[in-house]
């Protein structure tokens, strides 16, 4: 189907059982599960012109899954789907992931119930009717018993508001809103702000053709070599054969099927540890972080030793000592999202790439033709903002549903993103979030996470229907104990010490709070337990 021509067969009634907002991995699965496995009437909405969610928007050059993903960053529920889809590389490109999602939409005939190019602008709970009513930017109203918010953990673009940025006359592209027509950098002077996963992925690609690239770096980053390669056919065949077991392992092992190292650093000499780091560096991907020794994210000494190992690697790769100095990360290794790079540090050895360290040479203002920092003027034709997202909570707040008493979520979440189980919110009955704050989200494989969260939504709906109940809602006690659980786990690690989007620290004024559940397998055990125990910590209303 042409992405700009949504099918016309979208259900035109204004009432249904469930509304799903979002047609990324989470929303597509919810639509499939609720419609095809449960027989509910479902209507889905997405502001994009086709399926894919974050993969539809983030199409900047170099975009890839930031993990050695194939074939595990994908749905697990259908052996047929696993058998028929060919992942060409170990670290999937954005184009491959998007093609896969499009294939899923075709295979399960999902598009007919999705209204594309449609933003949901309002969502209100009617306490008497026990129904949600949404309104779209086209003025349409739809009501449903259940509202499933699969609105994306990385959707709301974080854009810096430097003085004069609106006066800049060149093109500005945010990596999370990349144009669908190719952007040519040929012969252009390009500025890149931001050195997270997106900035690290995009720089080597832009540098290939641009006349000059100036990178404006606020925080130097740890990045590990991706060592991406073609996925051998025999590996793919074996994965397909073992899929049931692999799927179980993914569920049990934090989203990925592989065993991780149980070696203890203290049982090894310094020389042995260095040898192991070297081996993991050569294997590439996440191995250094998850397979060298246990406790990398909690043992300060071990973490510092690995951090220094990576800093040495950066010193080895980057030829200019001054640039290398500016690139030295100083936060605890891995406590910002670990980045897999495909030639990021090497890009600084090119004559056409310059690094500006904003800690020493801050941006003062934009001009019509570039950026003025304390150290001077930088002429720029194209500005690339790789400045990330108002992550996890941002898209729920953009939707800003109004719950009991018409209370907007922005009011409820003004100081803390309170929720229970990362899926439900006091005052917002029958509303379920997928990959919301307090859920494993990016700390688990997101497609599988969505499958498991939707299975829990099914158990909620069945519980309501079997008992003749109309609505379920989290309790204050449940929210408080969930907050204690996710932050208790995070506080046993080094994550909270670092300013990162995990902590909400990348957006000025955002409450500082750990935004994800770090132990995905334990999280999904808990969901199952809650369902088995008759939904303790929830309150119910008779069906009206
Ligand atoms: O965003 P980020 P991202 N002035 O927030 C800097 C996922 N992802 O889009 O570190 C100057 O990580 C900011 O600086 P600092 C992945 O989970 C997945 O790169 O806050 N700089 C940082 O360097 C990832 O973690 C994939 O000091 C400013 C950068 O911009 C998440 O998305 C690919 C600034 C933002 O880094 C987000 O990654 C890419 C300012 N005012 C991303 N504001 C795939 O799997 C921010 N920065 C394909």
């Amino acid at each position: 189907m042409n992405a700009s021509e949504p099918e016309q067969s979208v259900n035109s009634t204004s009432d249904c059982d469930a509304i799903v907002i979002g047609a990324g991995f989470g929303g597509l699965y919810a639509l499939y599960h609720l419609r095809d496995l449960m027989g509910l009437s479902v209507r889905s909405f997405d502001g994009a012109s086709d399926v894919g969610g974050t993969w539809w928007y983030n199409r900047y050059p170099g975009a890839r899954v930031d993990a050695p993903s194939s074939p595990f960053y994908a749905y697990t529920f259908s052996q047929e789907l696993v058998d028929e889809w060919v992942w060409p590389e170990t670290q999937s490109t954005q184009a491959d992931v998007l093609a896969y999602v499009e294939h899923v939409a075709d295979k399960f005939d999902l598009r007919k119930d999705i209204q594309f190019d449609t933003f949901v602008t309002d969502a209100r709970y009617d306490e008497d009717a026990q129904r949600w009513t949404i309104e779209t930017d086209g003025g349409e109203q739809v009501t449903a018993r259940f509202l499933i918010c699969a609105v994306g953990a990385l959707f709301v673009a974080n854009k810096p508001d430097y003085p004069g940025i609106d006066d800049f006359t060149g093109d500005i592209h945010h990596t999370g809103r990349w144009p669908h027509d190719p952007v040519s950098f040929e012969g252009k002077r390009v500025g890149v702000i931001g050195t997270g996963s997106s900035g690290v992925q995009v720089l080597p690609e832009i540098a290939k053709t641009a006349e000059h690239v100036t990178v404006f770096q606020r925080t130097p980053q740890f990045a590990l070599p991706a060592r991406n390669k073609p996925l051998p056919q025999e590996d793919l065949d074996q994965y397909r054969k073992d899929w049931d077991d692999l799927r179980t392992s993914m569920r049990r092992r934090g989203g990925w099927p592989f065993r991780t190292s149980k070696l203890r650093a203290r049982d090894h000499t310094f020389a042995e540890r260095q040898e192991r780091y070297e081996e993991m560096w050569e294997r590439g991907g996440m191995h250094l972080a998850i397979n060298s020794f246990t406790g990398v994210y909690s043992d300060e000494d071990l973490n510092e030793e690995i951090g220094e190992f990576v800093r040495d690697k950066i010193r080895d790769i980057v030829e200019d000592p001054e640039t290398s100095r500016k690139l030295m990360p100083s936060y605890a290794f891995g406590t910002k999202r670990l980045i897999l790079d495909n030639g990021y540090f090497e890009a600084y050895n090119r004559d056409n790439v310059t690094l500006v360290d904003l800690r020493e040479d801050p941006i003062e203002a934009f001009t019509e033709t570039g950026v003025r920092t304390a150290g001077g003027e930088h002429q720029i034709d194209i500005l690339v903002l790789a400045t990330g997202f108002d992550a996890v909570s941002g898209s729920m707040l953009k939707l800003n549903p109004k719950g009991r008493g018409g209370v907007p979520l922005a009011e409820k979440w003004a100081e803390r993103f309170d929720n229970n189980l990362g899926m439900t919110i006091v005052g917002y009955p029958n509303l379920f979030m997928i990959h919301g704050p307090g859920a494993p989200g990016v700390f688990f494989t997101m497609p599988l996470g969505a499958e498991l969260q939707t299975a829990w939504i099914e158990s909620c709906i069945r519980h309501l229907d079997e008992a003749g109940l109309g609505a379920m809602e989290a309790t204050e006690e449940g929210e408080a104990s969930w907050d204690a659980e996710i932050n208790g786990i995070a506080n046993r690690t080094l994550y909270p010490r670092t300013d990162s989007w995990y902590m909400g620290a990348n957006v000025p004024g955002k409450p500082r709070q750990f935004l994800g559940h770090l132990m995905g397998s334990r999280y999904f055990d808990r969901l199952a337990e809650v369902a088995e125990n008759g939904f303790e910590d929830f309150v119910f209303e008779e069906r009206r």
Side-chain angles (χ1 to χ4, degrees):
M1 185 182 79
N2 183 325
S4 60
E5 292 170 356
E7 284 189 7
Q8 296 305 304
S9 57
V10 167
N11 183 349
S12 60
T13 58
S14 60
D15 294 317
C16 56
D17 296 320
I19 292 166
V20 176
I21 308 178
F25 266 107
L28 278 187
Y29 183 76
L31 167 60
Y32 162 74
H33 189 115
L34 270 52
R35 188 193 71 180
D36 293 3
L37 305 188
M38 296 183 67
L40 300 182
S41 60
V42 185
R43 289 191 60 185
S44 292
F45 298 87
D46 199 299
S49 305
D50 204 349
V51 295
T54 197
W55 298 102
W56 189 87
Y57 286 101
N58 285 260
R59 47 181 79 216
Y60 57 87
R64 286 177 186 273
V65 183
D66 52 359
S69 54
S70 308
F72 305 108
Y73 184 84
Y75 293 121
T76 71
F77 67 92
S78 161
Q79 179 76 47
E80 202 178 286
L81 185 57
V82 173
D83 289 344
E84 71 196 9
W85 191 256
V86 176
W87 293 101
E89 294 174 87
T90 56
Q91 199 197 351
S92 307
T93 61
Q94 174 270 341
D96 285 340
V97 178
L98 191 60
Y100 169 80
V101 178
E102 287 170 352
H103 170 73
V104 171
D106 288 339
K107 182 176 176 71
F108 298 101
D109 200 10
L110 298 175
R111 285 189 180 95
K112 72 170 191 268
D113 290 305
I114 307 171
Q115 200 163 314
F116 294 110
D117 295 309
T118 305
F119 275 102
V120 175
T121 51
D122 196 22
R124 285 178 184 274
Y125 186 65
D126 179 334
E127 295 177 48
D128 295 330
Q130 294 173 316
R131 292 183 79 78
W132 281 94
T133 300
I134 60 124
E135 195 167 315
T136 70
D137 55 359
E140 189 182 1
Q141 290 199 344
V142 182
T143 78
R145 271 183 83 198
F146 303 103
L147 182 64
I148 318 295
C149 302
V151 285
L154 299 163
F155 173 65
V156 178
N158 177 36
K159 294 186 180 158
D161 60 351
Y162 285 114
I165 196 161
D166 294 334
D167 301 335
F168 177 65
T169 53
D171 291 338
I172 303 183
H173 301 300
H174 190 285
T175 46
R177 290 288 179 281
W178 202 258
H180 285 227
D181 294 328
V183 178
S184 170
F185 295 101
E186 196 82 45
K188 302 284 189 197
R189 296 162 303 177
V190 183
V192 176
I193 302 185
T195 52
S197 302
S198 307
V200 166
Q201 288 181 339
V202 83
L203 172 65
E205 296 302 315
I206 295 176
K208 283 179 190 164
T209 56
E211 180 186 311
H212 196 87
V213 189
T214 308
V215 178
F216 298 91
Q217 169 195 267
R218 189 163 72 179
T219 307
Q221 286 276 13
F222 288 106
L224 304 178
R227 309 237 187 268
N228 179 45
K229 55 180 188 299
L231 183 63
Q233 185 60 44
E234 56 273 24
D235 288 7
L236 195 53
D237 290 344
Q238 194 62 43
Y239 291 144
R240 287 170 174 163
K241 202 158 148 263
D242 298 341
W243 193 251
D244 266 350
D245 291 344
L246 288 166
R247 188 181 187 215
T248 308
S249 295
M250 289 168 77
R251 163 72 178 78
R252 300 257 47 99
R253 295 201 178 104
W256 302 97
F258 309 109
R259 282 180 198 286
T260 52
S261 168
K262 295 284 176 282
L263 292 178
R264 292 182 310 180
R266 65 170 177 272
D267 295 338
H268 297 265
T269 63
F270 178 76
E272 286 168 347
R273 295 198 297 271
Q274 294 293 318
E275 207 176 302
R276 186 148 179 94
Y277 303 150
E278 196 63 52
E279 190 189 327
M280 296 302 130
W281 178 269
E282 282 313 312
R283 281 173 75 181
M286 298 287 178
H287 283 290
L288 185 64
I290 60 173
N291 260 334
S292 51
F293 296 99
T294 57
V296 172
Y297 291 94
S298 53
D299 176 336
E300 224 170 306
D301 294 339
L302 172 63
N303 186 287
E304 173 53 26
E305 190 171 277
I306 294 185
E308 190 53 21
F309 173 85
V310 178
R311 284 189 284 270
D312 276 342
K313 289 292 182 193
I314 301 170
R315 287 182 192 105
D316 286 349
I317 297 168
V318 179
E319 290 158 7
D320 173 45
E322 183 56 9
T323 305
S324 166
R325 181 187 66 76
K326 292 178 189 168
L327 285 168
M328 286 304 130
S330 58
Y331 62 92
F333 170 77
T335 53
K336 281 175 181 275
R337 174 74 169 191
L338 250 187
I339 300 171
L340 300 191
D341 93 74
N342 289 284
Y344 172 69
F345 293 116
E346 288 81 354
Y348 290 100
N349 293 335
R350 299 177 65 109
D351 292 338
N352 68 337
V353 176
T354 322
L355 179 65
V356 173
D357 183 348
L358 296 179
R359 296 166 305 174
E360 298 170 350
D361 186 10
I363 291 176
E364 288 178 345
F366 274 77
T367 64
E368 283 187 10
T369 55
V371 184
R372 190 174 69 246
T373 64
E377 293 271 336
H378 304 270
Q379 295 298 312
I380 283 170
D381 304 309
I382 302 177
L383 177 66
V384 173
L385 296 176
T387 44
F389 305 90
D390 181 356
V392 188
S393 53
S395 43
M396 278 303 293
L397 285 171
K398 189 173 164 63
L399 176 67
N400 199 20
K402 319 295 181 302
R404 282 193 194 282
V407 174
L409 187 62
E411 194 175 300
K412 154 97 184 163
W413 276 4
E415 289 178 6
R416 209 160 175 87
F417 308 115
D418 286 326
N419 66 80
N420 192 11
L421 300 174
M423 294 183 70
T424 59
I425 308 167
V426 172
Y428 300 77
N430 291 359
L431 177 153
F432 298 96
M433 298 181 286
I434 294 180
H435 299 316
V442 297
F443 297 104
F444 198 79
T445 322
M446 294 182 95
L448 174 58
E451 289 177 24
L452 295 168
Q453 286 193 307
T454 307
W456 189 77
I457 297 171
E458 170 176 356
S459 56
C460 295
I461 295 174
R462 289 207 185 281
H463 182 81
L464 289 172
D465 287 350
E466 281 160 18
L469 298 165
M472 72 181 278
E473 190 178 342
T475 62
E476 305 271 354
E477 297 72 36
E479 287 193 339
S481 82
W482 192 245
D483 191 44
E485 158 134 5
I486 57 168
N487 285 288
I489 296 170
N491 288 339
R492 293 199 293 275
T493 72
L494 302 170
Y495 283 108
R497 298 189 191 179
T498 300
D499 285 343
S500 67
W501 66 257
Y502 293 159
M503 294 299 301
N506 64 327
V507 174
K510 185 166 174 172
R512 191 181 177 93
Q513 169 183 352
F514 197 75
L515 287 168
H517 192 296
L518 280 171
M519 302 177 79
S521 297
R522 177 162 139 183
Y523 169 85
F524 290 109
D525 286 347
R526 177 91 183 106
L527 286 191
E529 242 172 64
V530 169
E532 273 159 30
N533 296 340
F535 298 91
E536 59 207 6
D537 288 340
F538 286 86
V539 286
F540 295 89
E541 270 178 8
E542 292 300 318
R543 190 159 188 172
R544 287 199 264 275

